[in-house]
Amino acid sequence: MTKSLSLIIPTYNESGNISPLVKQIHLAISDYKYEILFVDDASTDGTVERIEELGKDYPVRAIVRRDERGLASAVVKGFQNAGGDILVVMDADLQHPPAVIEQLLAAIEQGADIAVASRYVPGGGCAEWSGLRKLISRGAIFLAWLFLPQARRVKDPMSGFFALKNSVVEQVSLDPIGYKILLEVLVMGRYREVAEVPFQFQLRELGESKLNFSQEYEYLRHIVRLASRSGEAARFLKFCLVGASGVVVNFGLYLLLTRFAGFTPISDTSSGILSGNIALTISIETSIITNFILNNFFTFSDRNTGGAGGFLRRLLRFNLICVLGGLIQIGVANLLAVVLGIADLAAVLIGIIVAFFWNYLLNNSLTWRR
Ligand code: GDD
Ligand code: MN
Protein backbone atom coordinates (compact mmCIF):
# COMPACT_ATOMS: atom_id res chain seq x y z
CA MET A 1 0.00 0.00 0.00
CA THR A 2 1.35 3.38 -0.97
CA LYS A 3 -1.07 5.57 0.94
CA SER A 4 0.39 7.45 3.87
CA LEU A 5 -1.00 7.27 7.38
CA SER A 6 -1.36 9.83 10.13
CA LEU A 7 -2.13 8.46 13.56
CA ILE A 8 -3.76 11.03 15.80
CA ILE A 9 -3.51 10.37 19.49
CA PRO A 10 -4.84 12.79 22.13
CA THR A 11 -2.90 12.77 25.37
CA TYR A 12 -3.28 14.18 28.79
CA ASN A 13 -0.82 12.89 31.39
CA GLU A 14 0.09 9.61 29.75
CA SER A 15 3.89 9.64 30.20
CA GLY A 16 4.12 5.95 31.17
CA ASN A 17 2.19 4.80 28.12
CA ILE A 18 3.92 6.72 25.33
CA SER A 19 6.97 4.56 24.82
CA PRO A 20 5.28 1.12 24.82
CA LEU A 21 2.53 2.53 22.64
CA VAL A 22 4.86 3.92 19.99
CA LYS A 23 6.85 0.69 19.93
CA GLN A 24 3.76 -1.45 19.53
CA ILE A 25 2.38 0.78 16.79
CA HIS A 26 5.68 0.65 14.96
CA LEU A 27 5.69 -3.14 15.08
CA ALA A 28 2.11 -3.29 13.85
CA ILE A 29 2.44 -0.95 10.86
CA SER A 30 6.14 -0.72 10.00
CA ASP A 31 5.22 -1.61 6.40
CA TYR A 32 3.42 1.68 5.98
CA LYS A 33 4.62 5.20 5.60
CA TYR A 34 3.27 6.74 8.76
CA GLU A 35 3.50 9.62 11.25
CA ILE A 36 2.17 9.81 14.78
CA LEU A 37 0.72 13.12 15.89
CA PHE A 38 0.18 13.41 19.61
CA VAL A 39 -2.11 16.25 20.53
CA ASP A 40 -1.35 17.06 24.13
CA ASP A 41 -3.19 19.53 26.35
CA ALA A 42 -0.19 20.70 28.36
CA SER A 43 0.33 17.55 30.40
CA THR A 44 2.11 18.03 33.69
CA ASP A 45 3.74 14.60 33.99
CA GLY A 46 6.39 14.80 31.29
CA THR A 47 4.30 13.31 28.49
CA VAL A 48 5.55 15.82 25.94
CA GLU A 49 9.19 15.23 26.92
CA ARG A 50 8.69 11.49 26.38
CA ILE A 51 7.19 12.12 22.94
CA GLU A 52 10.07 14.37 21.97
CA GLU A 53 12.63 11.78 23.07
CA LEU A 54 10.93 9.15 20.95
CA GLY A 55 10.89 11.58 18.05
CA LYS A 56 14.61 10.91 17.64
CA ASP A 57 13.96 7.31 16.61
CA TYR A 58 10.40 7.28 15.31
CA PRO A 59 8.23 9.51 13.08
CA VAL A 60 6.54 11.02 16.09
CA ARG A 61 5.74 14.57 17.10
CA ALA A 62 3.71 16.45 19.66
CA ILE A 63 1.35 19.35 19.16
CA VAL A 64 0.80 21.06 22.48
CA ARG A 65 -2.31 23.10 23.17
CA ARG A 66 -2.27 25.48 26.10
CA ASP A 67 -5.45 27.44 25.54
CA GLU A 68 -7.91 24.60 25.12
CA ARG A 69 -8.74 21.22 26.63
CA GLY A 70 -10.76 18.22 25.60
CA LEU A 71 -10.29 14.91 23.87
CA ALA A 72 -12.51 15.49 20.85
CA SER A 73 -11.29 18.98 20.02
CA ALA A 74 -7.71 17.73 20.39
CA VAL A 75 -8.41 15.16 17.67
CA VAL A 76 -9.82 17.91 15.43
CA LYS A 77 -6.55 19.78 15.93
CA GLY A 78 -4.81 16.60 14.84
CA PHE A 79 -6.96 16.35 11.70
CA GLN A 80 -5.94 19.89 10.78
CA ASN A 81 -2.25 19.09 11.12
CA ALA A 82 -2.21 15.60 9.62
CA GLY A 83 -0.55 15.05 6.27
CA GLY A 84 -1.64 11.45 5.61
CA ASP A 85 -4.21 10.16 3.13
CA ILE A 86 -5.65 7.99 5.85
CA LEU A 87 -6.13 9.12 9.42
CA VAL A 88 -6.27 6.80 12.42
CA VAL A 89 -7.59 8.01 15.77
CA MET A 90 -6.80 6.09 18.95
CA ASP A 91 -6.17 6.52 22.67
CA ALA A 92 -2.70 6.63 24.17
CA ASP A 93 -3.38 4.37 27.12
CA LEU A 94 -3.08 1.00 25.31
CA GLN A 95 -6.78 0.28 25.74
CA HIS A 96 -6.87 0.30 21.93
CA PRO A 97 -4.62 -2.57 20.75
CA PRO A 98 -2.34 -1.37 17.92
CA ALA A 99 -2.70 -4.74 16.19
CA VAL A 100 -6.24 -3.73 15.20
CA ILE A 101 -4.96 -0.82 13.08
CA GLU A 102 -4.19 -3.16 10.19
CA GLN A 103 -7.73 -4.49 10.16
CA LEU A 104 -9.08 -0.94 10.07
CA LEU A 105 -6.82 -0.16 7.14
CA ALA A 106 -7.94 -3.34 5.37
CA ALA A 107 -11.56 -2.26 5.71
CA ILE A 108 -10.68 1.11 4.17
CA GLU A 109 -8.84 -0.62 1.32
CA GLN A 110 -11.98 -2.63 0.69
CA GLY A 111 -13.93 0.54 0.09
CA ALA A 112 -15.03 1.90 3.46
CA ASP A 113 -14.60 5.64 4.00
CA ILE A 114 -14.68 5.18 7.77
CA ALA A 115 -13.70 2.01 9.64
CA VAL A 116 -14.66 1.81 13.30
CA ALA A 117 -13.06 -0.49 15.86
CA SER A 118 -16.18 -1.66 17.61
CA ARG A 119 -16.91 -3.22 20.98
CA TYR A 120 -20.43 -4.10 19.98
CA VAL A 121 -20.10 -6.31 16.93
CA PRO A 122 -19.54 -10.08 17.30
CA GLY A 123 -15.99 -10.66 18.46
CA GLY A 124 -15.75 -7.28 20.17
CA GLY A 125 -16.08 -6.46 23.86
CA CYS A 126 -14.76 -4.72 26.95
CA ALA A 127 -12.43 -6.30 29.44
CA GLU A 128 -14.05 -6.26 32.87
CA TRP A 129 -16.25 -3.25 32.78
CA SER A 130 -18.56 -2.70 35.73
CA GLY A 131 -22.27 -3.25 35.10
CA LEU A 132 -22.84 0.45 35.68
CA ARG A 133 -20.32 1.57 33.09
CA LYS A 134 -21.76 -0.87 30.56
CA LEU A 135 -25.22 0.48 31.21
CA ILE A 136 -24.06 4.08 30.82
CA SER A 137 -22.30 3.19 27.60
CA ARG A 138 -25.38 1.47 26.18
CA GLY A 139 -27.66 4.31 27.29
CA ALA A 140 -25.37 6.86 25.66
CA ILE A 141 -25.41 4.93 22.40
CA PHE A 142 -29.18 4.65 22.52
CA LEU A 143 -29.53 8.41 22.91
CA ALA A 144 -27.29 9.01 19.93
CA TRP A 145 -29.28 6.56 17.82
CA LEU A 146 -32.49 8.24 18.89
CA PHE A 147 -31.57 11.76 17.89
CA LEU A 148 -28.88 11.37 15.24
CA PRO A 149 -29.82 9.08 12.35
CA GLN A 150 -26.23 8.96 11.09
CA ALA A 151 -25.18 7.36 14.38
CA ARG A 152 -27.44 4.41 13.56
CA ARG A 153 -25.01 3.36 10.90
CA VAL A 154 -22.75 1.76 13.50
CA LYS A 155 -23.18 -0.38 16.58
CA ASP A 156 -20.51 1.58 18.47
CA PRO A 157 -20.69 5.29 17.59
CA MET A 158 -18.89 6.05 20.89
CA SER A 159 -15.69 4.27 19.98
CA GLY A 160 -12.55 6.37 20.23
CA PHE A 161 -10.68 4.06 17.83
CA PHE A 162 -11.25 4.42 14.08
CA ALA A 163 -9.68 5.11 10.72
CA LEU A 164 -10.96 7.36 7.96
CA LYS A 165 -10.02 8.79 4.62
CA ASN A 166 -8.74 12.31 4.91
CA SER A 167 -11.50 13.45 2.53
CA VAL A 168 -14.17 12.60 5.13
CA VAL A 169 -13.15 15.53 7.32
CA GLU A 170 -11.01 17.66 5.06
CA GLN A 171 -13.39 20.50 4.28
CA VAL A 172 -15.81 19.91 7.07
CA SER A 173 -16.18 22.22 10.02
CA LEU A 174 -15.96 20.10 13.14
CA ASP A 175 -16.77 21.60 16.51
CA PRO A 176 -17.22 18.82 19.09
CA ILE A 177 -17.70 19.16 22.83
CA GLY A 178 -16.32 16.51 25.17
CA TYR A 179 -15.18 13.00 24.30
CA LYS A 180 -17.08 11.66 21.33
CA ILE A 181 -15.12 12.62 18.26
CA LEU A 182 -16.46 9.71 16.20
CA LEU A 183 -20.02 10.89 16.71
CA GLU A 184 -19.05 14.30 15.36
CA VAL A 185 -17.40 12.68 12.33
CA LEU A 186 -20.38 10.40 11.64
CA VAL A 187 -22.85 13.26 11.76
CA MET A 188 -20.87 16.02 10.04
CA GLY A 189 -18.36 14.14 7.86
CA ARG A 190 -18.60 13.43 4.11
CA TYR A 191 -18.68 9.73 3.45
CA ARG A 192 -20.64 6.89 1.95
CA GLU A 193 -19.50 3.62 3.45
CA VAL A 194 -18.82 2.77 7.06
CA ALA A 195 -17.37 -0.55 8.23
CA GLU A 196 -17.00 -1.98 11.73
CA VAL A 197 -14.16 -4.19 12.90
CA PRO A 198 -14.51 -6.00 16.25
CA PHE A 199 -11.99 -5.29 19.00
CA GLN A 200 -11.53 -5.93 22.69
CA PHE A 201 -11.34 -2.74 24.72
CA GLN A 202 -8.41 -3.48 27.05
CA LEU A 203 -7.99 -2.58 30.71
CA ARG A 204 -5.99 0.51 31.46
CA GLU A 205 -2.81 -0.48 33.24
CA LEU A 206 -1.00 2.82 33.70
CA GLY A 207 -2.27 6.29 34.52
CA GLU A 208 -5.95 6.97 34.94
CA SER A 209 -9.07 7.64 32.91
CA LYS A 210 -9.99 11.29 32.50
CA LEU A 211 -13.64 10.40 32.12
CA ASN A 212 -15.87 11.76 34.87
CA PHE A 213 -19.50 12.59 35.36
CA SER A 214 -19.28 16.08 33.96
CA GLN A 215 -18.48 14.32 30.69
CA GLU A 216 -21.94 12.78 30.70
CA TYR A 217 -23.40 16.26 30.75
CA GLU A 218 -21.02 17.43 28.03
CA TYR A 219 -22.15 14.48 26.01
CA LEU A 220 -25.79 15.55 26.20
CA ARG A 221 -24.80 19.05 25.13
CA HIS A 222 -22.87 17.58 22.24
CA ILE A 223 -25.90 15.59 21.05
CA VAL A 224 -28.16 18.63 21.18
CA ARG A 225 -25.61 20.68 19.31
CA LEU A 226 -25.13 18.03 16.64
CA ALA A 227 -28.87 17.64 16.21
CA SER A 228 -29.22 21.33 15.62
CA ARG A 229 -26.15 21.69 13.37
CA SER A 230 -27.09 18.74 11.19
CA GLY A 231 -30.70 19.84 10.72
CA GLU A 232 -32.21 16.93 12.70
CA ALA A 233 -33.61 19.26 15.36
CA ALA A 234 -35.29 21.34 12.67
CA ARG A 235 -36.71 18.16 11.18
CA PHE A 236 -38.17 17.16 14.53
CA LEU A 237 -39.72 20.59 14.88
CA LYS A 238 -41.29 20.32 11.43
CA PHE A 239 -42.73 16.95 12.38
CA CYS A 240 -44.27 18.59 15.47
CA LEU A 241 -45.79 21.37 13.35
CA VAL A 242 -47.25 18.88 10.91
CA GLY A 243 -48.60 16.87 13.84
CA ALA A 244 -50.34 20.00 15.16
CA SER A 245 -51.89 20.65 11.76
CA GLY A 246 -53.15 17.05 11.82
CA VAL A 247 -54.95 17.69 15.07
CA VAL A 248 -56.71 20.64 13.45
CA VAL A 249 -57.70 18.56 10.42
CA ASN A 250 -58.85 15.63 12.55
CA PHE A 251 -60.91 17.77 14.91
CA GLY A 252 -62.17 20.17 12.25
CA LEU A 253 -63.34 17.48 9.89
CA TYR A 254 -65.14 15.63 12.66
CA LEU A 255 -66.90 18.86 13.56
CA LEU A 256 -67.85 19.49 9.94
CA LEU A 257 -69.14 15.99 9.31
CA THR A 258 -71.22 15.79 12.47
CA ARG A 259 -72.58 19.33 12.50
CA PHE A 260 -73.12 20.05 8.83
CA ALA A 261 -72.95 16.82 6.83
CA GLY A 262 -75.57 14.71 8.52
CA PHE A 263 -73.41 12.37 10.60
CA THR A 264 -74.51 11.98 14.20
CA PRO A 265 -72.04 12.92 16.98
CA ILE A 266 -70.52 9.90 18.74
CA SER A 267 -72.23 10.99 21.95
CA ASP A 268 -75.64 10.63 20.30
CA THR A 269 -76.35 6.92 20.39
CA SER A 270 -80.09 7.14 19.71
CA SER A 271 -79.64 5.75 16.19
CA GLY A 272 -76.66 3.49 16.97
CA ILE A 273 -72.96 4.24 17.18
CA LEU A 274 -72.06 3.64 13.54
CA SER A 275 -72.61 7.09 12.03
CA GLY A 276 -70.52 9.01 14.56
CA ASN A 277 -67.69 6.54 14.40
CA ILE A 278 -67.63 6.59 10.62
CA ALA A 279 -67.26 10.38 10.83
CA LEU A 280 -64.45 9.96 13.35
CA THR A 281 -62.67 7.35 11.26
CA ILE A 282 -62.89 9.52 8.15
CA SER A 283 -61.45 12.45 10.11
CA ILE A 284 -58.59 10.41 11.54
CA GLU A 285 -57.69 8.87 8.20
CA THR A 286 -57.85 12.23 6.45
CA SER A 287 -55.49 13.74 9.00
CA ILE A 288 -53.10 10.82 8.56
CA ILE A 289 -53.06 11.50 4.82
CA THR A 290 -52.61 15.27 5.15
CA ASN A 291 -49.86 14.64 7.71
CA PHE A 292 -48.23 12.25 5.30
CA ILE A 293 -48.28 14.69 2.41
CA LEU A 294 -46.90 17.53 4.51
CA ASN A 295 -44.18 15.33 5.99
CA ASN A 296 -43.27 13.99 2.59
CA PHE A 297 -42.80 17.39 0.97
CA PHE A 298 -41.76 19.43 4.01
CA THR A 299 -40.28 17.43 6.88
CA PHE A 300 -38.53 14.80 4.77
CA SER A 301 -38.27 16.63 1.45
CA ASP A 302 -34.64 15.51 1.25
CA ARG A 303 -35.61 11.84 1.34
CA ASN A 304 -38.58 12.00 -0.96
CA THR A 305 -37.43 9.49 -3.58
CA GLY A 306 -38.75 6.72 -5.82
CA GLY A 307 -41.45 8.53 -7.82
CA ALA A 308 -45.09 7.53 -7.53
CA GLY A 309 -44.27 3.99 -6.37
CA GLY A 310 -42.10 5.32 -3.56
CA PHE A 311 -44.78 7.80 -2.62
CA LEU A 312 -47.45 5.10 -2.30
CA ARG A 313 -45.18 2.71 -0.44
CA ARG A 314 -44.37 5.44 2.05
CA LEU A 315 -48.03 6.37 2.39
CA LEU A 316 -48.89 2.78 3.31
CA ARG A 317 -46.02 2.53 5.75
CA PHE A 318 -46.84 5.85 7.36
CA ASN A 319 -50.45 4.77 7.73
CA LEU A 320 -49.53 1.50 9.34
CA ILE A 321 -47.05 3.10 11.76
CA CYS A 322 -49.55 5.82 12.75
CA VAL A 323 -52.32 3.28 13.34
CA LEU A 324 -49.98 1.26 15.55
CA GLY A 325 -49.09 4.57 17.21
CA GLY A 326 -52.78 5.07 17.94
CA LEU A 327 -52.97 1.62 19.54
CA ILE A 328 -49.86 2.37 21.57
CA GLN A 329 -51.46 5.59 22.74
CA ILE A 330 -54.56 3.71 23.86
CA GLY A 331 -52.43 1.05 25.55
CA VAL A 332 -50.25 3.53 27.43
CA ALA A 333 -53.21 5.67 28.50
CA ASN A 334 -55.07 2.63 29.83
CA LEU A 335 -52.02 1.26 31.54
CA LEU A 336 -51.38 4.54 33.34
CA ALA A 337 -54.99 5.39 34.16
CA VAL A 338 -56.48 1.98 34.87
CA VAL A 339 -53.56 -0.04 36.20
CA LEU A 340 -51.48 2.68 37.86
CA GLY A 341 -54.37 4.98 38.80
CA ILE A 342 -52.93 8.15 37.29
CA ALA A 343 -55.39 10.95 36.45
CA ASP A 344 -56.94 10.31 33.05
CA LEU A 345 -55.92 13.60 31.42
CA ALA A 346 -52.30 13.06 32.41
CA ALA A 347 -52.53 9.46 31.17
CA VAL A 348 -53.91 10.54 27.81
CA LEU A 349 -51.29 13.25 27.46
CA ILE A 350 -48.43 10.84 28.22
CA GLY A 351 -49.97 8.38 25.75
CA ILE A 352 -49.96 11.07 23.07
CA ILE A 353 -46.31 11.89 23.76
CA VAL A 354 -45.22 8.25 23.64
CA ALA A 355 -47.15 7.68 20.40
CA PHE A 356 -45.69 10.86 18.96
CA PHE A 357 -42.13 9.63 19.53
CA TRP A 358 -43.06 6.25 18.14
CA ASN A 359 -44.44 7.90 14.99
CA TYR A 360 -41.43 10.15 14.60
CA LEU A 361 -38.77 7.51 15.13
CA LEU A 362 -40.33 4.77 13.06
CA ASN A 363 -41.29 7.00 10.20
CA ASN A 364 -37.87 8.62 10.31
CA SER A 365 -36.06 5.31 10.04
CA LEU A 366 -38.58 3.22 8.04
CA THR A 367 -40.86 5.42 5.96
CA TRP A 368 -38.36 8.07 4.91
CA ARG A 369 -35.30 5.89 5.14
CA ARG A 370 -32.11 7.66 4.11
N1 GDD B 1 -5.46 16.18 24.48
C1 GDD B 1 -6.30 15.63 25.38
N2 GDD B 1 -7.10 16.46 26.13
N3 GDD B 1 -6.35 14.30 25.53
C2 GDD B 1 -7.21 13.79 26.44
C3 GDD B 1 -8.05 14.58 27.23
C4 GDD B 1 -7.98 16.00 27.05
O1 GDD B 1 -8.68 16.77 27.69
N4 GDD B 1 -8.78 13.75 28.03
C5 GDD B 1 -8.39 12.49 27.73
N5 GDD B 1 -7.43 12.52 26.78
C6 GDD B 1 -6.74 11.38 26.17
C7 GDD B 1 -6.14 10.42 27.16
O2 GDD B 1 -4.84 10.81 27.51
C8 GDD B 1 -6.19 9.11 26.38
O3 GDD B 1 -5.10 9.00 25.50
C9 GDD B 1 -7.45 9.24 25.57
O4 GDD B 1 -7.70 10.64 25.45
C10 GDD B 1 -8.64 8.55 26.24
O5 GDD B 1 -8.84 9.08 27.52
P1 GDD B 1 -9.35 8.20 28.74
O6 GDD B 1 -9.54 9.11 29.88
O7 GDD B 1 -8.49 7.01 28.92
O8 GDD B 1 -10.76 7.77 28.18
P2 GDD B 1 -11.61 6.47 28.49
O9 GDD B 1 -10.77 5.23 28.38
O10 GDD B 1 -12.38 6.67 29.70
O11 GDD B 1 -12.61 6.54 27.24
C11 GDD B 1 -12.22 5.99 26.00
O12 GDD B 1 -13.11 4.98 25.69
C12 GDD B 1 -14.44 5.40 25.43
C13 GDD B 1 -15.28 4.22 25.09
O13 GDD B 1 -15.78 3.74 26.22
C14 GDD B 1 -12.22 7.04 24.89
O14 GDD B 1 -11.68 6.43 23.71
C15 GDD B 1 -13.58 7.53 24.54
O15 GDD B 1 -13.54 8.36 23.39
C16 GDD B 1 -14.46 6.36 24.27
O16 GDD B 1 -15.80 6.78 24.06
MN1 MN C 1 -8.78 5.04 28.44
Side-chain angles (χ1 to χ4, degrees):
M1 166 148 155
T2 50
K3 292 207 159 64
S4 56
L5 298 181
S6 296
L7 285 92
I8 297 161
I9 305 179
T11 52
Y12 186 71
N13 289 349
E14 301 286 358
S15 61
N17 288 314
I18 301 297
S19 172
L21 176 74
V22 169
K23 286 172 185 158
Q24 286 185 34
I25 291 177
H26 184 75
L27 277 178
I29 57 169
S30 54
D31 293 347
Y32 295 82
K33 178 172 178 288
Y34 77 91
E35 60 169 351
I36 303 180
L37 278 180
F38 285 98
V39 186
D40 186 87
D41 287 351
S43 292
T44 52
D45 70 343
T47 298
V48 176
E49 290 75 5
R50 306 260 44 206
I51 296 167
E52 278 162 358
E53 271 166 40
L54 280 158
K56 293 173 193 148
D57 301 315
Y58 298 91
V60 167
R61 66 191 162 106
I63 298 171
V64 182
R65 305 194 303 175
R66 300 195 182 280
D67 43 353
E68 219 182 330
R69 265 213 65 179
L71 195 170
S73 64
V75 172
V76 172
K77 181 88 179 172
F79 288 158
Q80 290 158 355
N81 287 274
D85 305 310
I86 295 175
L87 315 177
V88 176
V89 177
M90 66 191 293
D91 292 348
D93 54 6
L94 294 167
Q95 290 189 280
H96 294 159
V100 178
I101 298 172
E102 277 223 271
Q103 295 162 42
L104 294 175
L105 298 176
I108 300 246
E109 288 232 316
Q110 281 158 28
D113 300 296
I114 305 175
V116 177
S118 173
R119 295 163 291 173
Y120 299 129
V121 292
C126 324
E128 282 181 53
W129 260 16
S130 71
L132 179 67
R133 188 160 178 193
K134 271 192 186 129
L135 196 73
I136 292 177
S137 172
R138 287 296 192 166
I141 291 177
F142 185 71
L143 273 185
W145 283 345
L146 206 58
F147 293 105
L148 304 169
Q150 297 93 328
R152 290 176 211 147
R153 299 193 54 179
V154 288
K155 295 268 183 302
D156 193 358
M158 309 289 119
S159 177
F161 191 10
F162 55 95
L164 67 165
K165 292 180 180 157
N166 195 359
S167 56
V168 175
V169 292
E170 208 167 20
Q171 273 158 41
V172 173
S173 115
L174 299 174
D175 191 12
I177 321 175
Y179 254 49
K180 306 305 176 188
I181 179 62
L182 176 59
L183 198 59
E184 178 85 11
V185 169
L186 286 171
V187 175
M188 303 303 291
R190 293 196 187 136
Y191 60 94
R192 268 193 298 264
E193 256 193 68
V194 188
E196 272 182 288
V197 166
F199 93 107
Q200 289 285 337
F201 192 73
Q202 304 296 309
L203 280 182
R204 187 191 251 276
E205 277 164 16
L206 288 172
E208 54 194 40
S209 170
K210 282 86 201 172
L211 193 69
N212 54 40
F213 269 97
S214 77
Q215 292 292 344
E216 312 294 341
Y217 169 68
E218 298 275 274
Y219 173 65
L220 294 181
R221 276 181 58 218
H222 191 193
I223 287 199
V224 171
R225 179 138 113 191
L226 276 175
S228 100
R229 280 161 70 216
S230 64
E232 286 308 313
R235 193 194 297 286
F236 183 71
L237 218 70
K238 287 177 178 173
F239 197 84
C240 293
L241 282 177
V242 171
S245 84
V247 173
V248 174
V249 170
N250 188 343
F251 187 75
L253 191 60
Y254 173 78
L255 207 74
L256 228 84
L257 290 173
T258 53
R259 302 303 187 272
F260 303 102
F263 288 88
T264 46
I266 46 170
S267 50
D268 175 3
T269 54
S270 54
S271 52
I273 58 164
L274 200 59
S275 174
N277 277 296
I278 290 178
L280 189 57
T281 307
I282 293 174
S283 325
I284 292 174
E285 182 57 27
T286 306
S287 68
I288 289 182
I289 292 174
T290 55
N291 273 7
F292 172 77
I293 292 172
L294 287 172
N295 278 321
N296 194 65
F297 294 107
F298 175 57
T299 315
F300 293 99
S301 56
D302 56 327
R303 300 190 204 157
N304 169 17
T305 54
F311 183 87
L312 283 178
R313 212 170 12 228
R314 283 194 295 276
L315 177 59
L316 272 177
R317 222 170 255 172
F318 183 78
N319 234 311
L320 190 71
I321 290 169
C322 291
V323 167
L324 288 176
L327 293 177
I328 289 175
Q329 184 184 328
I330 293 171
V332 169
N334 277 284
L335 180 79
L336 294 176
V338 181
V339 182
L340 300 179
I342 291 172
D344 70 325
L345 289 183
V348 169
L349 194 67
I350 294 172
I352 290 175
I353 294 170
V354 172
F356 183 82
F357 271 97
W358 158 273
N359 285 343
Y360 180 69
L361 291 172
L362 269 88
N363 283 305
N364 193 343
S365 53
L366 296 178
T367 309
W368 288 279
R369 204 188 305 215
R370 324 163 25 88

